[in-house]
Amino acid sequence: MTARPIAVVGASAAGLAAAETLRRSGWRGPLTLIGDEPHLPYDRPPLSKQLLHGAWEPEKLRLRTEEQLAPLDLDLRLGTRATGLDVATRTLTLDGVERLACAGIVIATGVAARTLPGADRLTGVHTLRTLDDALALRGRLTNGGTPASEGVAGGGGPRRLVIVGNGVLGCEAAAVARELGHEVTVVGIEETPMAAAVGTDVGTLLAEEHRARGVRLLTGAVDGFDTTPAAPADGPGPQVTAVRLANGGIAAQGGGGSRLPADTVLVAIGSRPAVDWLTDPALDTTDGLRCDAYCAAAPGIYAAGDVARWDHPAHGRPLRFEHRMNATEQGMAAARNLLAELAADGTAGPADGTPAQERRPFAPVPYFWSDQYDLKIQAYGLTAGADRVETPVRDRAGRRILALYGREGRAVGVLAAGLPPRQIRALRAVVADPLPWEEARERVAAATAAG
């Protein structure tokens, strides 16, 4: 009888980390890595930065080459979609046909980009989540324009780019497009860019940076698109010519009426966890795949990365992060805990006979960064959902800021830009284990004074 494999669903940073950890931790049985894209695992953060700008080519994003993957002895299924999971038997359905019975499963399917009704049928309207998405948008921004028409830039000139959504992704793409010389308008339903992620004070600083670079920032809701027939070489669907705004106009700085002329549109209105294929009622897929503190969604089934919503021991509530560092760390933790479970129930153990490790709760200190122009923003802990924010350092002229985020009387997050690296690293300890607010304030003051 052929041994059942461990399957990792998602050839992502989290999925790759899980697969490598499984081998490193002693799994010698079959190991299947399943990815719905045709590409080897690659890094996603550069998609909206170096790749979109043209500074990097796709090969530089690759996390491992084929030669580097060879020692893992993977059954590598690229271009294959998981379409179902029977929890009781740990059986995956692939592409709606093949059944794969597994000893254990790590789900690392990430998230999918949200879009607007009808946007996927239009030429010139893009999302930015995958490598192919990024290359398609880069092609619009680095090649000549389309033939001139009403509201559309003529060939060879700057694009008129409208970015729908003023969160982190929209702001990063806006920075790249301005550096490439395009006309950029960002429209979002929140008055302050990135406010939901970093708060109003930090968002205001970033807004000033974008305006100083020539980005037009507007507040409003998008109602649809104006189009014109596309040239055969440009695409199969109608060519976008403008973004229509709801309620006939904009409540925003700069005014502008109800139509924003555009020949290229990026829809950056957030993402949704890739859980549509998980229909077994034994799983809770509310805002991601619900897991316990060990990243387990069910016996023998674990999750990691953007798709996982797990009980964070330090914060006492379920959390889900779309952060690059978390993807790798959680992929490793999920793999180790899965192996510990399989060893405990006698399914598998380390090949060298060493005692199996016990499962451990996954309790990371979240970290994320965002590069916009030459400004690098770094944050530890939780910055979204805070009920208290203070900015002990706010130097607009020096482009420096430090923000402390609190929730229910404790400091849970800290963000900095323009500070020395040593100071930024010292801030991590302030929120590693949520401290009482006043104590955290004192430690932040000491950390910045020591710089």
Side-chain angles (χ1 to χ4, degrees), residues 3 14 76 319 410:
L76 185 58
L319 297 173
R410 292 186 172 272

Side-chain angles (χ1 to χ4, degrees), residues 369-383:
W369 75 94
S370 177
D371 296 323
Q372 297 176 37
Y373 308 107
D374 56 352
L375 191 65
K376 189 176 190 70
I377 304 141
Q378 299 180 76
Y380 292 103
L382 310 181
T383 58

Side-chain angles (χ1 to χ4, degrees), residues 177-377:
R178 278 303 298 145
E179 289 176 339
L180 292 173
H182 300 290
E183 300 176 25
V184 180
T185 298
V186 177
V187 56
I189 59 175
E190 299 292 339
E191 183 175 349
T192 304
M194 289 180 57
V198 300
T200 301
D201 282 349
V202 177
T204 299
L205 178 70
L206 294 172
E208 292 172 353
E209 187 74 17
H210 281 283
R211 289 194 187 97
R213 304 281 185 148
V215 176
R216 185 180 179 210
L217 300 177
L218 303 174
T219 307
V222 170
D223 189 42
F225 305 97
D226 289 349
T227 63
T228 191
D234 292 328
Q239 165 66 47
V240 67
T241 59
V243 174
R244 292 198 310 271
L245 299 168
N247 303 320
I250 315 169
Q253 314 92 320
S258 62
R259 295 174 68 256
L260 301 176
D263 56 42
T264 306
V265 175
L266 171 62
V267 179
I269 56 174
S271 58
R272 53 181 177 78
V275 294
D276 293 350
W277 62 285
L278 297 170
T279 58
D280 192 309
L283 300 174
D284 179 355
T285 57
T286 305
D287 187 29
L289 182 54
R290 185 74 161 84
C291 301
D292 63 16
Y294 304 97
C295 308
I301 299 172
Y302 288 70
D306 298 0
V307 75
R309 185 169 68 95
W310 90 104
D311 293 330
H312 194 297
H315 293 281
R317 59 192 177 98
L319 297 173
R320 187 176 67 83
F321 298 135
E322 298 181 21
H323 300 163
R324 173 63 178 84
M325 291 296 294
N326 183 73
T328 294
E329 293 175 353
Q330 195 166 25
M332 296 168 65
R336 286 192 294 260
N337 285 339
L338 170 59
L339 281 185
E341 178 187 327
L342 296 180
D345 66 18
T347 304
D352 59 5
T354 58
Q357 298 293 317
E358 293 185 355
R359 296 197 309 164
R360 296 181 180 178
F362 180 57
V365 179
Y367 169 77
F368 85 89
W369 75 94
S370 177
D371 296 323
Q372 297 176 37
Y373 308 107
D374 56 352
L375 191 65
K376 189 176 190 70
I377 304 141

Side-chain angles (χ1 to χ4, degrees), residues 37-183:
E37 296 183 58
H39 311 291
L40 291 172
Y42 61 87
D43 214 9
R44 292 189 190 274
L47 294 179
S48 59
K49 306 177 185 74
Q50 295 92 336
L51 186 93
L52 186 61
H53 199 290
W56 289 8
E57 292 304 316
E59 293 74 20
K60 194 164 184 178
L61 275 63
R62 195 173 292 162
L63 293 171
R64 300 290 184 272
T65 64
E66 291 184 2
E67 292 75 17
Q68 291 168 329
L69 289 175
L72 298 179
D73 191 23
L74 295 173
D75 174 15
L76 185 58
R77 310 282 194 94
L78 298 178
T80 300
R81 186 177 296 275
T83 52
L85 170 60
D86 183 279
V87 170
T89 63
R90 303 178 195 172
T91 300
L92 289 165
T93 302
L94 305 179
D95 288 332
V97 178
E98 181 185 354
R99 302 292 187 270
L100 183 65
C102 302
I105 298 168
V106 178
I107 295 170
T109 46
V111 296
R114 296 185 185 276
T115 188
L116 294 170
D120 57 345
R121 298 190 296 272
L122 302 181
T123 297
V125 179
H126 299 260
T127 56
L128 182 49
R129 171 61 189 168
T130 68
L131 175 59
D132 291 342
D133 291 341
L135 290 174
L137 179 58
R138 186 171 83 168
R140 297 283 296 187
L141 297 181
T142 57
N143 294 331
T146 56
S149 61
E150 181 185 358
V152 181
R159 292 286 187 182
R160 289 180 175 176
L161 171 66
V162 172
I163 298 175
V164 182
N166 58 2
V168 177
L169 177 63
C171 289
E172 289 181 346
V176 169
R178 278 303 298 145
E179 289 176 339
L180 292 173
H182 300 290
E183 300 176 25

